[in-house]
């Protein structure tokens, strides 16, 4: 198949999933065309069967806001025509599903639009009165819609369009990249031998509740020697740095900023902390599982579909910092429970979320939409 993919090329999980999907599709012999405003950060280097088409937004002085959406739609239509796309698969509804619809209207190439919903495109932007109707329209006009968890399907039906059929296709990891790595050579840079490493990675937005991450850590390190590593950047970062300083934890907390190579860093961790308020999937929890690292997190949205409570981690209601800290301490001090959770996570990541299995599901979906209209 000739497949176009549009996503945010930045460090977010939706961009990661879209890029890794494109790479696996290309390995299977499909021609994959990325149509994005920047090279997706996981795409670096040459990949057989992958093509990149940059979207340039016009910055003409009259525009207060460059019309990126129009440039994207126009580029999608050009690529569809030049490369005779069969499928245009857009990740994150805003504005991609609407741009894909426009591109289809402009084009005489009869490609099918597949939209994958990732989370805040529904749970935050879908509640914005200035966007709600157009997001609904984009979803309704797509030839097929998928969501990364059952929870997100329910939220989309509740908030936007009760009728549209939405298929659940979970996110995945490539186990060639995510596995328990030997990190003894770098571990001493981050912690003493007797210290446990707690880990958090996100885009530092309020929904991630990084204040809870720090409070959980504060409680844990009172009971067991520990360090906290935080990866990522975002609006909450300056406030969180201040908080760590105020709590007198600066020597035990390390802000690592944005990182491209996270598979090794995750392997450093003993526990992942994910106490989010909204989290349609929680890709980092899956990446951690694949590296044998259990999660302590909240029961928000799709997290319980990824982390099996009491099997691959412990979950508590959003904001229950004390409970999360207690569970973290138990897990860190009960060697047998820790080993069992770590092994369960490895098995679950391979059985339920392995790349090959998920890419099969996308291929079947593409095939189905192509056949439906012929
Ligand atoms: O909306 C965001 O916070 C970013 C977004 C993204 O583009 O990565 O994250 C969402 O999509 C990820 C990939 O499917 C999921 O793992 C995240 O759980 C989801 N974020 C939220 O629902 C908050």
């Amino acid at each position: 198949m000739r497949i176009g993919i549009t996503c945010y090329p930045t460090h977010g999980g939706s961009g990661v999933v879209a890029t890794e999907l494109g790479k696996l599709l290309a390995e299977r012999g499909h021609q994959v065309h990325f149509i994005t405003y920047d090279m997706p950060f996981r795409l670096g280097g040459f990949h057989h069967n992958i093509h990149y088409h940059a979207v340039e937004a016009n910055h003409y002085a009259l525009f207060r806001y460059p019309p990126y959406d129009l440039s994207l739609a126009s580029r999608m239509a050009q690529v569809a025509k030049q490369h005779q796309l069969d499928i245009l698969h857009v990740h994150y509804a805003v504005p991609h599903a609407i741009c894909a619809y426009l591109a289809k209207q402009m084009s005489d190439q009869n490609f099918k639009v597949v939209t994958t919903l990732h989370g805040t495109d529904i749970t935050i932007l879908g509640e914005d009165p200035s966007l709600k109707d157009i997001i609904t329209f984009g979803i309704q006009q797509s030839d097929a819609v998928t969501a990364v968890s059952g929870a997100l399907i329910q939220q989309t039906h509740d908030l936007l369009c009760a009728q549209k059929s939405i298929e659940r296709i979970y996110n995945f990891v490539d186990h060639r990249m995510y596995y328990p790595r030997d990190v003894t050579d770098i571990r001493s840079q981050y912690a003493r031998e007797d210290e446990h490493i707690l880990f958090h990675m996100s885009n530092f937005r309020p929904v991630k509740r990084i204040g809870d991450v720090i409070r959980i850590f504060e409680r844990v390190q009172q009971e067991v020697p520990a360090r906290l590593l935080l990866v990522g950047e975002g609006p909450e970062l300056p406030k969180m740095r201040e908080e760590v300083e105020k709590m007198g934890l600066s020597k035990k907390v390390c802000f690592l900023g944005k990182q491209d190579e996270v598979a090794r860093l995750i392997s450093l961790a003993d526990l992942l902390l994910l106490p989010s308020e909204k989290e349609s999937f929680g890709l980092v929890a899956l990446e951690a599982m694949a590296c044998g690292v259990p999660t302590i997190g909240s029961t928000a949205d799709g997290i319980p579909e990824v982390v099996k409570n009491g099997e691959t981690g412990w979950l508590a209601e959003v904001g229950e910092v004390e409970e999360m800290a207690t569970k973290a301490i138990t897990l860190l001090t009960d060697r047998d429970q820790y080993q069992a959770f770590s092994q369960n996570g490895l098995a679950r990541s391979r059985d339920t979320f392995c790349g090959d299995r998920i890419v099969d599901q996308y291929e079947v979906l593409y095939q189905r939409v192509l056949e439906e209209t012929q």
Side-chain angles (χ1 to χ4, degrees), residues 8 10-17 92 116-121 123-124 148 152 171 203 205 207-208 276 278-284 301:
Y8 285 102
T10 49
H11 281 70
S14 60
V16 169
V17 168
Y92 208 86
T116 291
L117 309 174
H118 280 272
T120 46
D121 43 355
T123 57
I124 292 185
V148 297
L152 184 57
N171 289 332
N203 53 13
R205 296 194 185 274
V207 291
K208 302 291 177 180
S276 316
K278 290 183 194 292
E279 200 68 76
S280 65
F281 186 88
L283 185 64
V284 66
D301 308 335

PDB file of all heavy atoms in Angstrom, residues 8 10-17 92 116-121 123-124 148 152 171 203 205 207-208 276 278-284 301, ligand 1:
ATOM      1  N   TYR A   8       2.225  14.958  14.849  1.00  0.00           N
ATOM      2  CA  TYR A   8       3.108  15.978  15.400  1.00  0.00           C
ATOM      3  C   TYR A   8       4.500  15.365  15.492  1.00  0.00           C
ATOM      4  O   TYR A   8       4.658  14.292  16.087  1.00  0.00           O
ATOM      5  CB  TYR A   8       2.606  16.445  16.769  1.00  0.00           C
ATOM      6  CG  TYR A   8       1.408  17.351  16.613  1.00  0.00           C
ATOM      7  CD1 TYR A   8       0.115  16.896  16.844  1.00  0.00           C
ATOM      8  CD2 TYR A   8       1.578  18.651  16.154  1.00  0.00           C
ATOM      9  CE1 TYR A   8      -0.979  17.720  16.650  1.00  0.00           C
ATOM     10  CE2 TYR A   8       0.487  19.495  15.957  1.00  0.00           C
ATOM     11  CZ  TYR A   8      -0.791  19.018  16.207  1.00  0.00           C
ATOM     12  OH  TYR A   8      -1.863  19.832  16.001  1.00  0.00           O
ATOM     13  N   THR A  10       7.004  16.099  17.134  1.00  0.00           N
ATOM     14  CA  THR A  10       7.712  16.419  18.376  1.00  0.00           C
ATOM     15  C   THR A  10       7.795  15.198  19.299  1.00  0.00           C
ATOM     16  O   THR A  10       7.399  14.102  18.927  1.00  0.00           O
ATOM     17  CB  THR A  10       6.969  17.545  19.103  1.00  0.00           C
ATOM     18  OG1 THR A  10       5.596  17.158  19.148  1.00  0.00           O
ATOM     19  CG2 THR A  10       7.087  18.854  18.369  1.00  0.00           C
ATOM     20  N   HIS A  11       8.230  15.434  20.555  1.00  0.00           N
ATOM     21  CA  HIS A  11       8.520  14.317  21.455  1.00  0.00           C
ATOM     22  C   HIS A  11       7.288  13.618  22.045  1.00  0.00           C
ATOM     23  O   HIS A  11       7.439  12.677  22.802  1.00  0.00           O
ATOM     24  CB  HIS A  11       9.423  14.791  22.597  1.00  0.00           C
ATOM     25  CG  HIS A  11      10.865  14.912  22.178  1.00  0.00           C
ATOM     26  ND1 HIS A  11      11.288  15.878  21.316  1.00  0.00           N
ATOM     27  CD2 HIS A  11      11.952  14.166  22.479  1.00  0.00           C
ATOM     28  CE1 HIS A  11      12.584  15.736  21.105  1.00  0.00           C
ATOM     29  NE2 HIS A  11      13.021  14.702  21.806  1.00  0.00           N
ATOM     30  N   GLY A  12       6.081  14.064  21.756  1.00  0.00           N
ATOM     31  CA  GLY A  12       4.876  13.455  22.359  1.00  0.00           C
ATOM     32  C   GLY A  12       4.667  12.010  21.909  1.00  0.00           C
ATOM     33  O   GLY A  12       5.180  11.581  20.872  1.00  0.00           O
ATOM     34  N   GLY A  13       3.877  11.288  22.703  1.00  0.00           N
ATOM     35  CA  GLY A  13       3.635   9.875  22.421  1.00  0.00           C
ATOM     36  C   GLY A  13       2.944   9.645  21.090  1.00  0.00           C
ATOM     37  O   GLY A  13       3.218   8.645  20.409  1.00  0.00           O
ATOM     38  N   SER A  14       2.049  10.553  20.677  1.00  0.00           N
ATOM     39  CA  SER A  14       1.332  10.322  19.417  1.00  0.00           C
ATOM     40  C   SER A  14       2.296  10.356  18.236  1.00  0.00           C
ATOM     41  O   SER A  14       2.180   9.549  17.308  1.00  0.00           O
ATOM     42  CB  SER A  14       0.197  11.339  19.229  1.00  0.00           C
ATOM     43  OG  SER A  14       0.704  12.646  19.205  1.00  0.00           O
ATOM     44  N   GLY A  15       3.270  11.269  18.302  1.00  0.00           N
ATOM     45  CA  GLY A  15       4.279  11.353  17.238  1.00  0.00           C
ATOM     46  C   GLY A  15       5.177  10.121  17.242  1.00  0.00           C
ATOM     47  O   GLY A  15       5.558   9.612  16.187  1.00  0.00           O
ATOM     48  N   VAL A  16       5.493   9.642  18.443  1.00  0.00           N
ATOM     49  CA  VAL A  16       6.337   8.447  18.557  1.00  0.00           C
ATOM     50  C   VAL A  16       5.616   7.253  17.934  1.00  0.00           C
ATOM     51  O   VAL A  16       6.177   6.516  17.110  1.00  0.00           O
ATOM     52  CB  VAL A  16       6.666   8.152  20.049  1.00  0.00           C
ATOM     53  CG1 VAL A  16       7.313   6.789  20.205  1.00  0.00           C
ATOM     54  CG2 VAL A  16       7.564   9.243  20.622  1.00  0.00           C
ATOM     55  N   VAL A  17       4.344   7.073  18.314  1.00  0.00           N
ATOM     56  CA  VAL A  17       3.577   5.927  17.823  1.00  0.00           C
ATOM     57  C   VAL A  17       3.432   6.007  16.301  1.00  0.00           C
ATOM     58  O   VAL A  17       3.632   5.010  15.582  1.00  0.00           O
ATOM     59  CB  VAL A  17       2.194   5.864  18.512  1.00  0.00           C
ATOM     60  CG1 VAL A  17       1.285   4.876  17.825  1.00  0.00           C
ATOM     61  CG2 VAL A  17       2.359   5.509  19.988  1.00  0.00           C
ATOM     62  N   TYR A  92      -3.840  12.231  15.878  1.00  0.00           N
ATOM     63  CA  TYR A  92      -4.282  13.404  16.649  1.00  0.00           C
ATOM     64  C   TYR A  92      -5.260  14.181  15.754  1.00  0.00           C
ATOM     65  O   TYR A  92      -4.901  14.643  14.673  1.00  0.00           O
ATOM     66  CB  TYR A  92      -3.104  14.296  17.068  1.00  0.00           C
ATOM     67  CG  TYR A  92      -3.356  15.071  18.330  1.00  0.00           C
ATOM     68  CD1 TYR A  92      -3.092  14.512  19.584  1.00  0.00           C
ATOM     69  CD2 TYR A  92      -3.867  16.366  18.290  1.00  0.00           C
ATOM     70  CE1 TYR A  92      -3.311  15.236  20.754  1.00  0.00           C
ATOM     71  CE2 TYR A  92      -4.090  17.088  19.439  1.00  0.00           C
ATOM     72  CZ  TYR A  92      -3.806  16.531  20.679  1.00  0.00           C
ATOM     73  OH  TYR A  92      -4.026  17.239  21.828  1.00  0.00           O
ATOM     74  N   THR A 116      -6.507   8.484  13.924  1.00  0.00           N
ATOM     75  CA  THR A 116      -6.281   7.871  15.241  1.00  0.00           C
ATOM     76  C   THR A 116      -6.361   8.953  16.312  1.00  0.00           C
ATOM     77  O   THR A 116      -5.643   9.960  16.251  1.00  0.00           O
ATOM     78  CB  THR A 116      -4.904   7.160  15.290  1.00  0.00           C
ATOM     79  OG1 THR A 116      -4.979   6.010  14.435  1.00  0.00           O
ATOM     80  CG2 THR A 116      -4.568   6.693  16.699  1.00  0.00           C
ATOM     81  N   LEU A 117      -7.250   8.743  17.260  1.00  0.00           N
ATOM     82  CA  LEU A 117      -7.410   9.674  18.376  1.00  0.00           C
ATOM     83  C   LEU A 117      -6.415   9.282  19.462  1.00  0.00           C
ATOM     84  O   LEU A 117      -6.273   8.099  19.770  1.00  0.00           O
ATOM     85  CB  LEU A 117      -8.838   9.601  18.921  1.00  0.00           C
ATOM     86  CG  LEU A 117      -9.941   9.740  17.859  1.00  0.00           C
ATOM     87  CD1 LEU A 117     -11.311   9.513  18.482  1.00  0.00           C
ATOM     88  CD2 LEU A 117      -9.869  11.108  17.179  1.00  0.00           C
ATOM     89  N   HIS A 118      -5.761  10.288  20.043  1.00  0.00           N
ATOM     90  CA  HIS A 118      -4.709   9.964  21.022  1.00  0.00           C
ATOM     91  C   HIS A 118      -5.039  10.383  22.443  1.00  0.00           C
ATOM     92  O   HIS A 118      -4.413   9.895  23.375  1.00  0.00           O
ATOM     93  CB  HIS A 118      -3.380  10.564  20.582  1.00  0.00           C
ATOM     94  CG  HIS A 118      -2.699   9.726  19.541  1.00  0.00           C
ATOM     95  ND1 HIS A 118      -1.847   8.693  19.864  1.00  0.00           N
ATOM     96  CD2 HIS A 118      -2.777   9.735  18.188  1.00  0.00           C
ATOM     97  CE1 HIS A 118      -1.412   8.114  18.758  1.00  0.00           C
ATOM     98  NE2 HIS A 118      -1.963   8.729  17.716  1.00  0.00           N
ATOM     99  N   GLY A 119      -5.934  11.327  22.639  1.00  0.00           N
ATOM    100  CA  GLY A 119      -6.227  11.679  24.038  1.00  0.00           C
ATOM    101  C   GLY A 119      -6.720  13.096  24.197  1.00  0.00           C
ATOM    102  O   GLY A 119      -7.919  13.368  24.122  1.00  0.00           O
ATOM    103  N   THR A 120      -5.779  14.026  24.358  1.00  0.00           N
ATOM    104  CA  THR A 120      -6.210  15.400  24.632  1.00  0.00           C
ATOM    105  C   THR A 120      -6.882  16.044  23.407  1.00  0.00           C
ATOM    106  O   THR A 120      -7.548  17.065  23.560  1.00  0.00           O
ATOM    107  CB  THR A 120      -5.021  16.265  25.092  1.00  0.00           C
ATOM    108  OG1 THR A 120      -3.911  16.018  24.227  1.00  0.00           O
ATOM    109  CG2 THR A 120      -4.632  15.934  26.525  1.00  0.00           C
ATOM    110  N   ASP A 121      -6.707  15.434  22.233  1.00  0.00           N
ATOM    111  CA  ASP A 121      -7.468  15.930  21.071  1.00  0.00           C
ATOM    112  C   ASP A 121      -8.974  15.793  21.344  1.00  0.00           C
ATOM    113  O   ASP A 121      -9.794  16.515  20.781  1.00  0.00           O
ATOM    114  CB  ASP A 121      -7.059  15.232  19.751  1.00  0.00           C
ATOM    115  CG  ASP A 121      -6.869  13.726  19.860  1.00  0.00           C
ATOM    116  OD1 ASP A 121      -6.960  13.186  20.973  1.00  0.00           O
ATOM    117  OD2 ASP A 121      -6.639  13.089  18.816  1.00  0.00           O
ATOM    118  N   THR A 123     -10.163  14.830  24.981  1.00  0.00           N
ATOM    119  CA  THR A 123     -10.496  15.107  26.387  1.00  0.00           C
ATOM    120  C   THR A 123     -10.281  16.570  26.779  1.00  0.00           C
ATOM    121  O   THR A 123     -10.880  17.040  27.734  1.00  0.00           O
ATOM    122  CB  THR A 123      -9.677  14.197  27.335  1.00  0.00           C
ATOM    123  OG1 THR A 123      -8.276  14.395  27.077  1.00  0.00           O
ATOM    124  CG2 THR A 123     -10.015  12.734  27.124  1.00  0.00           C
ATOM    125  N   ILE A 124      -9.422  17.287  26.073  1.00  0.00           N
ATOM    126  CA  ILE A 124      -9.247  18.718  26.371  1.00  0.00           C
ATOM    127  C   ILE A 124      -9.791  19.561  25.216  1.00  0.00           C
ATOM    128  O   ILE A 124     -10.697  20.370  25.399  1.00  0.00           O
ATOM    129  CB  ILE A 124      -7.766  19.056  26.680  1.00  0.00           C
ATOM    130  CG1 ILE A 124      -7.393  18.379  28.013  1.00  0.00           C
ATOM    131  CG2 ILE A 124      -7.558  20.575  26.752  1.00  0.00           C
ATOM    132  CD1 ILE A 124      -6.023  18.691  28.552  1.00  0.00           C
ATOM    133  N   VAL A 148      -6.718   4.935  21.014  1.00  0.00           N
ATOM    134  CA  VAL A 148      -5.643   4.144  21.617  1.00  0.00           C
ATOM    135  C   VAL A 148      -6.071   3.403  22.884  1.00  0.00           C
ATOM    136  O   VAL A 148      -5.278   2.648  23.450  1.00  0.00           O
ATOM    137  CB  VAL A 148      -4.379   5.004  21.884  1.00  0.00           C
ATOM    138  CG1 VAL A 148      -3.801   5.534  20.587  1.00  0.00           C
ATOM    139  CG2 VAL A 148      -4.675   6.145  22.860  1.00  0.00           C
ATOM    140  N   LEU A 152     -10.817   5.963  25.849  1.00  0.00           N
ATOM    141  CA  LEU A 152     -10.897   7.108  24.929  1.00  0.00           C
ATOM    142  C   LEU A 152     -12.075   6.967  23.962  1.00  0.00           C
ATOM    143  O   LEU A 152     -12.709   7.961  23.595  1.00  0.00           O
ATOM    144  CB  LEU A 152      -9.563   7.263  24.171  1.00  0.00           C
ATOM    145  CG  LEU A 152      -9.456   8.466  23.251  1.00  0.00           C
ATOM    146  CD1 LEU A 152      -9.706   9.793  23.994  1.00  0.00           C
ATOM    147  CD2 LEU A 152      -8.079   8.524  22.576  1.00  0.00           C
ATOM    148  N   ASN A 171      -1.613   1.307  21.537  1.00  0.00           N
ATOM    149  CA  ASN A 171      -0.245   1.660  21.178  1.00  0.00           C
ATOM    150  C   ASN A 171       0.660   0.439  21.370  1.00  0.00           C
ATOM    151  O   ASN A 171       0.257  -0.558  21.960  1.00  0.00           O
ATOM    152  CB  ASN A 171       0.236   2.817  22.042  1.00  0.00           C
ATOM    153  CG  ASN A 171      -0.465   4.117  21.665  1.00  0.00           C
ATOM    154  OD1 ASN A 171      -0.881   4.290  20.522  1.00  0.00           O
ATOM    155  ND2 ASN A 171      -0.613   5.018  22.619  1.00  0.00           N
ATOM    156  N   ASN A 203       5.379  15.548  29.126  1.00  0.00           N
ATOM    157  CA  ASN A 203       5.509  16.879  28.530  1.00  0.00           C
ATOM    158  C   ASN A 203       5.264  17.982  29.568  1.00  0.00           C
ATOM    159  O   ASN A 203       5.008  19.122  29.215  1.00  0.00           O
ATOM    160  CB  ASN A 203       4.553  17.018  27.333  1.00  0.00           C
ATOM    161  CG  ASN A 203       3.121  16.664  27.714  1.00  0.00           C
ATOM    162  OD1 ASN A 203       2.779  16.553  28.904  1.00  0.00           O
ATOM    163  ND2 ASN A 203       2.259  16.494  26.731  1.00  0.00           N
ATOM    164  N   ARG A 205       2.875  18.954  31.478  1.00  0.00           N
ATOM    165  CA  ARG A 205       1.643  19.740  31.450  1.00  0.00           C
ATOM    166  C   ARG A 205       0.897  19.477  32.744  1.00  0.00           C
ATOM    167  O   ARG A 205       1.107  18.446  33.404  1.00  0.00           O
ATOM    168  CB  ARG A 205       0.787  19.356  30.254  1.00  0.00           C
ATOM    169  CG  ARG A 205       1.487  19.691  28.981  1.00  0.00           C
ATOM    170  CD  ARG A 205       0.664  19.671  27.740  1.00  0.00           C
ATOM    171  NE  ARG A 205       1.563  19.894  26.626  1.00  0.00           N
ATOM    172  CZ  ARG A 205       1.937  21.077  26.169  1.00  0.00           C
ATOM    173  NH1 ARG A 205       1.451  22.172  26.711  1.00  0.00           N
ATOM    174  NH2 ARG A 205       2.775  21.197  25.164  1.00  0.00           N
ATOM    175  N   VAL A 207      -1.926  18.311  33.452  1.00  0.00           N
ATOM    176  CA  VAL A 207      -2.617  17.016  33.575  1.00  0.00           C
ATOM    177  C   VAL A 207      -1.709  15.890  34.087  1.00  0.00           C
ATOM    178  O   VAL A 207      -2.197  14.871  34.563  1.00  0.00           O
ATOM    179  CB  VAL A 207      -3.274  16.528  32.251  1.00  0.00           C
ATOM    180  CG1 VAL A 207      -4.448  17.369  31.867  1.00  0.00           C
ATOM    181  CG2 VAL A 207      -2.266  16.414  31.127  1.00  0.00           C
ATOM    182  N   LYS A 208      -0.412  16.087  33.999  1.00  0.00           N
ATOM    183  CA  LYS A 208       0.515  15.029  34.449  1.00  0.00           C
ATOM    184  C   LYS A 208       0.685  15.018  35.962  1.00  0.00           C
ATOM    185  O   LYS A 208       1.257  14.075  36.511  1.00  0.00           O
ATOM    186  CB  LYS A 208       1.885  15.188  33.774  1.00  0.00           C
ATOM    187  CG  LYS A 208       1.828  15.162  32.259  1.00  0.00           C
ATOM    188  CD  LYS A 208       1.466  13.781  31.738  1.00  0.00           C
ATOM    189  CE  LYS A 208       1.338  13.791  30.226  1.00  0.00           C
ATOM    190  NZ  LYS A 208       0.998  12.488  29.664  1.00  0.00           N
ATOM    191  N   SER A 276      -1.099  10.782  36.571  1.00  0.00           N
ATOM    192  CA  SER A 276      -1.827  11.757  35.742  1.00  0.00           C
ATOM    193  C   SER A 276      -3.309  11.897  36.078  1.00  0.00           C
ATOM    194  O   SER A 276      -3.958  10.961  36.536  1.00  0.00           O
ATOM    195  CB  SER A 276      -1.755  11.352  34.273  1.00  0.00           C
ATOM    196  OG  SER A 276      -0.481  10.958  33.913  1.00  0.00           O
ATOM    197  N   LYS A 278      -5.343  13.068  33.480  1.00  0.00           N
ATOM    198  CA  LYS A 278      -5.874  12.548  32.218  1.00  0.00           C
ATOM    199  C   LYS A 278      -4.747  11.773  31.549  1.00  0.00           C
ATOM    200  O   LYS A 278      -3.609  12.245  31.524  1.00  0.00           O
ATOM    201  CB  LYS A 278      -6.280  13.691  31.283  1.00  0.00           C
ATOM    202  CG  LYS A 278      -7.507  14.471  31.725  1.00  0.00           C
ATOM    203  CD  LYS A 278      -7.834  15.531  30.677  1.00  0.00           C
ATOM    204  CE  LYS A 278      -8.812  16.559  31.170  1.00  0.00           C
ATOM    205  NZ  LYS A 278     -10.149  16.084  31.412  1.00  0.00           N
ATOM    206  N   GLU A 279      -5.081  10.616  31.019  1.00  0.00           N
ATOM    207  CA  GLU A 279      -4.046   9.822  30.337  1.00  0.00           C
ATOM    208  C   GLU A 279      -4.758   8.749  29.535  1.00  0.00           C
ATOM    209  O   GLU A 279      -5.141   7.710  30.057  1.00  0.00           O
ATOM    210  CB  GLU A 279      -3.117   9.186  31.374  1.00  0.00           C
ATOM    211  CG  GLU A 279      -1.770   8.760  30.835  1.00  0.00           C
ATOM    212  CD  GLU A 279      -0.893   9.938  30.439  1.00  0.00           C
ATOM    213  OE1 GLU A 279      -0.345  10.593  31.334  1.00  0.00           O
ATOM    214  OE2 GLU A 279      -0.791  10.190  29.227  1.00  0.00           O
ATOM    215  N   SER A 280      -4.923   9.002  28.243  1.00  0.00           N
ATOM    216  CA  SER A 280      -5.731   8.062  27.473  1.00  0.00           C
ATOM    217  C   SER A 280      -5.049   6.712  27.329  1.00  0.00           C
ATOM    218  O   SER A 280      -5.703   5.691  27.152  1.00  0.00           O
ATOM    219  CB  SER A 280      -6.030   8.634  26.100  1.00  0.00           C
ATOM    220  OG  SER A 280      -4.827   8.745  25.416  1.00  0.00           O
ATOM    221  N   PHE A 281      -3.728   6.700  27.389  1.00  0.00           N
ATOM    222  CA  PHE A 281      -2.998   5.428  27.270  1.00  0.00           C
ATOM    223  C   PHE A 281      -1.814   5.400  28.247  1.00  0.00           C
ATOM    224  O   PHE A 281      -1.756   4.563  29.127  1.00  0.00           O
ATOM    225  CB  PHE A 281      -2.519   5.223  25.821  1.00  0.00           C
ATOM    226  CG  PHE A 281      -1.879   3.890  25.584  1.00  0.00           C
ATOM    227  CD1 PHE A 281      -2.635   2.779  25.230  1.00  0.00           C
ATOM    228  CD2 PHE A 281      -0.509   3.724  25.720  1.00  0.00           C
ATOM    229  CE1 PHE A 281      -2.036   1.529  25.037  1.00  0.00           C
ATOM    230  CE2 PHE A 281       0.103   2.481  25.525  1.00  0.00           C
ATOM    231  CZ  PHE A 281      -0.673   1.389  25.175  1.00  0.00           C
ATOM    232  N   GLY A 282      -0.891   6.339  28.068  1.00  0.00           N
ATOM    233  CA  GLY A 282       0.305   6.342  28.923  1.00  0.00           C
ATOM    234  C   GLY A 282       1.407   5.507  28.293  1.00  0.00           C
ATOM    235  O   GLY A 282       1.833   4.499  28.858  1.00  0.00           O
ATOM    236  N   LEU A 283       1.858   5.962  27.122  1.00  0.00           N
ATOM    237  CA  LEU A 283       2.878   5.190  26.386  1.00  0.00           C
ATOM    238  C   LEU A 283       4.105   4.891  27.251  1.00  0.00           C
ATOM    239  O   LEU A 283       4.685   3.812  27.164  1.00  0.00           O
ATOM    240  CB  LEU A 283       3.283   5.969  25.119  1.00  0.00           C
ATOM    241  CG  LEU A 283       4.236   5.251  24.183  1.00  0.00           C
ATOM    242  CD1 LEU A 283       3.618   3.996  23.600  1.00  0.00           C
ATOM    243  CD2 LEU A 283       4.690   6.179  23.053  1.00  0.00           C
ATOM    244  N   VAL A 284       4.466   5.846  28.092  1.00  0.00           N
ATOM    245  CA  VAL A 284       5.673   5.649  28.908  1.00  0.00           C
ATOM    246  C   VAL A 284       5.517   4.450  29.856  1.00  0.00           C
ATOM    247  O   VAL A 284       6.496   3.758  30.156  1.00  0.00           O
ATOM    248  CB  VAL A 284       6.049   6.958  29.658  1.00  0.00           C
ATOM    249  CG1 VAL A 284       5.001   7.348  30.690  1.00  0.00           C
ATOM    250  CG2 VAL A 284       7.414   6.832  30.329  1.00  0.00           C
ATOM    251  N   ASP A 301      -8.456   7.388  33.115  1.00  0.00           N
ATOM    252  CA  ASP A 301      -8.718   7.031  31.709  1.00  0.00           C
ATOM    253  C   ASP A 301      -8.208   5.633  31.325  1.00  0.00           C
ATOM    254  O   ASP A 301      -8.661   4.646  31.853  1.00  0.00           O
ATOM    255  CB  ASP A 301      -8.126   8.102  30.768  1.00  0.00           C
ATOM    256  CG  ASP A 301      -8.560   9.518  31.130  1.00  0.00           C
ATOM    257  OD1 ASP A 301      -9.627   9.652  31.747  1.00  0.00           O
ATOM    258  OD2 ASP A 301      -7.833  10.472  30.816  1.00  0.00           O
TER     259      ASP A 301
HETATM  260  O1  LIG B   1      -2.059  15.126  24.688  1.00  0.00           O
HETATM  261  C1  LIG B   1      -0.940  14.980  25.147  1.00  0.00           C
HETATM  262  O2  LIG B   1      -0.602  15.127  26.311  1.00  0.00           O
HETATM  263  C2  LIG B   1       0.097  14.548  24.178  1.00  0.00           C
HETATM  264  C3  LIG B   1      -0.369  13.302  23.502  1.00  0.00           C
HETATM  265  C4  LIG B   1       0.662  13.017  22.492  1.00  0.00           C
HETATM  266  O3  LIG B   1       0.589  13.598  21.417  1.00  0.00           O
HETATM  267  O4  LIG B   1       1.547  12.258  22.779  1.00  0.00           O
HETATM  268  O5  LIG B   1      -0.493  12.227  24.462  1.00  0.00           O
HETATM  269  C5  LIG B   1      -1.590  11.389  24.269  1.00  0.00           C
HETATM  270  O6  LIG B   1      -1.252  10.392  23.318  1.00  0.00           O
HETATM  271  C6  LIG B   1      -0.302   9.413  23.747  1.00  0.00           C
HETATM  272  C7  LIG B   1      -0.023   8.451  22.601  1.00  0.00           C
HETATM  273  O7  LIG B   1      -1.211   7.779  22.231  1.00  0.00           O
HETATM  274  C8  LIG B   1      -0.835   8.690  24.980  1.00  0.00           C
HETATM  275  O8  LIG B   1       0.119   7.736  25.424  1.00  0.00           O
HETATM  276  C9  LIG B   1      -1.079   9.707  26.087  1.00  0.00           C
HETATM  277  O9  LIG B   1      -1.678   9.036  27.181  1.00  0.00           O
HETATM  278  C10 LIG B   1      -2.021  10.803  25.608  1.00  0.00           C
HETATM  279  N1  LIG B   1      -2.065  11.875  26.605  1.00  0.00           N
HETATM  280  C11 LIG B   1      -3.156  12.134  27.330  1.00  0.00           C
HETATM  281  O10 LIG B   1      -4.199  11.536  27.207  1.00  0.00           O
HETATM  282  C12 LIG B   1      -3.004  13.222  28.325  1.00  0.00           C
END
